[in-house]
Amino acid sequence: MSLRIGTRGSALALAQTNRVVGMLADRGIEAELVTIATEGDTATGVPLHAIGGQGVFVRALDDAILRGEIDAAVHSMKDIPAARPAGLTCCAVLERDSPADFLAHECPLDAVSVIGSSSTRRRAQLLRDAPALEVKQLRGNVDTRIRKLREGQYDAIVLAEAGLERLGLTLPGEALPTDRFVPSPNQGTIAVVCRDDPAVAGAFAAFDHAPTRLDVEIERAVMEEVGGGCFTPQGIYCRDGNLIAEVLALDGSRWERIERRVATVGEAREWGRALRVQAAGLIREAYAALGIKP
């Protein structure tokens, strides 16, 4: 069997895809890597929420699978939106890497006053922790973000620790605790999406890590019930059934939060609905402030 595996062209996306290609090779399966440009990679001068959120990184690859140009695609699972096209399946969820955010800074921590991040969640959580901070927009791939840090455009930047580890990068700074800086749903997880064909899906079945899949499915169930996508600052993290989920005001001044032990996706949906009711006002505020129709 020979498979065509689609990927974005960023260094991180290529590193993740090459990991999967290597795992296939270990099982005697040949794979060709196909690089596909996405709107999220080319439109770097605007905030993510203005071009459709994290889903812009996935849409072009979904379309390529459905057109038959590639057999599967490798994604950072946190980029995959809740609504998925018919004809696709998530055939493998790899064992999770670090879910944490990483605060990279070259000056002393107490001298940090300007932080770069394109995420509404990270901005809200940083401001909740330290309201005097200035959080400025930061887009681009990991190399671009690090270059801007080193040029002094920011005192610090926030990146996913898993991305740094996958790229083999060591930066000065520290991982942020996941109980205070609750990660995005599925952060630190690599997923493989393919066309809904048992022959193709079966090639990846051995890579599926059941405990990680359950945790991320719980996170996605809460995310789907809460709604708001990347437009509303929200962190949702589950480890071994221990769930933390929160929705924040854009400026981090207020938040609603639940911490529960969750055993099933059904229970997760119940708690997601409860959080949506608690946070309804914050969600409406975020949509209004960003000029987005619910």
Side-chain angles (χ1 to χ4, degrees):
M1 174 182 276
S2 179
L3 297 171
R4 298 159 299 169
I5 313 296
T7 179
R8 294 165 58 197
S10 71
L12 177 57
L14 290 168
Q16 294 174 170
T17 305
N18 279 319
R19 180 194 291 188
V20 174
V21 168
M23 294 165 72
L24 288 168
D26 290 342
R27 298 181 64 81
I29 300 172
E30 293 183 9
E32 172 193 357
L33 193 150
V34 180
T35 303
I36 295 174
T38 78
E39 186 181 1
D41 295 307
T42 55
T44 58
V46 294
L48 271 180
H49 67 76
I51 55 173
Q54 292 293 129
V56 299
F57 296 122
V58 176
R59 196 175 304 126
L61 291 157
D62 284 346
D63 291 344
I65 295 173
L66 293 171
R67 288 193 300 265
E69 296 169 4
I70 57 176
D71 300 301
V74 177
H75 298 289
S76 293
M77 195 168 185
K78 70 182 178 67
D79 292 342
I80 300 176
R84 306 295 293 129
L88 301 179
T89 185
C90 179
C91 55
V93 177
L94 276 58
E95 184 172 3
R96 194 175 215 157
D97 298 319
S98 169
D101 288 328
F102 187 87
L103 183 70
H105 55 93
E106 297 186 326
C107 64
L109 185 58
D110 58 8
V112 170
S113 63
V114 179
I115 297 180
S117 174
S118 61
S119 160
T120 58
R121 172 190 63 83
R122 288 170 174 160
R123 180 180 188 275
Q125 290 172 341
L126 288 164
L127 291 174
R128 172 175 64 186
D129 200 61
L133 286 173
E134 180 183 1
V135 184
K136 295 171 61 176
Q137 279 290 328
L138 174 62
R139 291 285 315 282
N141 60 35
V142 173
D143 287 342
T144 299
R145 296 181 191 203
I146 293 172
R147 175 178 55 78
K148 290 180 177 180
L149 171 66
R150 289 174 174 163
E151 287 173 352
Q153 296 185 37
Y154 308 88
D155 299 323
I157 60 175
V158 185
L159 302 161
E161 185 175 44
L164 297 175
E165 292 173 346
R166 290 168 192 162
L167 289 169
L169 296 175
T170 302
L171 298 178
E174 55 275 309
L176 298 175
T178 55
D179 58 339
R180 281 170 41 213
F181 297 88
V182 185
S184 292
N186 302 175
Q187 184 161 306
T189 308
I190 295 172
V192 183
V193 173
C194 72
R195 66 175 182 269
D196 199 358
D197 176 339
V200 177
F204 300 95
F207 310 151
D208 195 62
H209 187 254
T212 297
R213 182 181 278 271
L214 178 57
D215 280 341
V216 298
E217 285 181 349
I218 285 171
E219 293 167 7
R220 291 184 78 81
V222 174
M223 174 183 74
E224 290 166 9
E225 295 298 335
V226 171
C230 77
F231 312 121
T232 303
Q234 59 181 282
I236 304 171
Y237 175 49
C238 185
R239 180 177 180 181
D240 299 328
N242 295 302
L243 172 69
I244 305 175
E246 63 180 15
V247 177
L248 300 93
L250 286 168
D251 63 0
S253 61
R254 290 158 293 130
W255 59 91
E256 296 288 347
R257 178 176 172 119
I258 59 171
E259 296 186 36
R260 292 290 185 275
R261 176 76 184 164
V262 177
T264 67
V265 171
E267 285 181 35
R269 292 199 177 281
E270 292 177 12
W271 288 113
R273 288 190 288 271
L275 181 57
R276 181 182 63 197
V277 171
Q278 290 177 221
L282 296 175
I283 294 170
R284 285 194 300 269
E285 284 179 23
Y287 273 75
L290 296 172
I292 296 164
K293 293 182 179 179

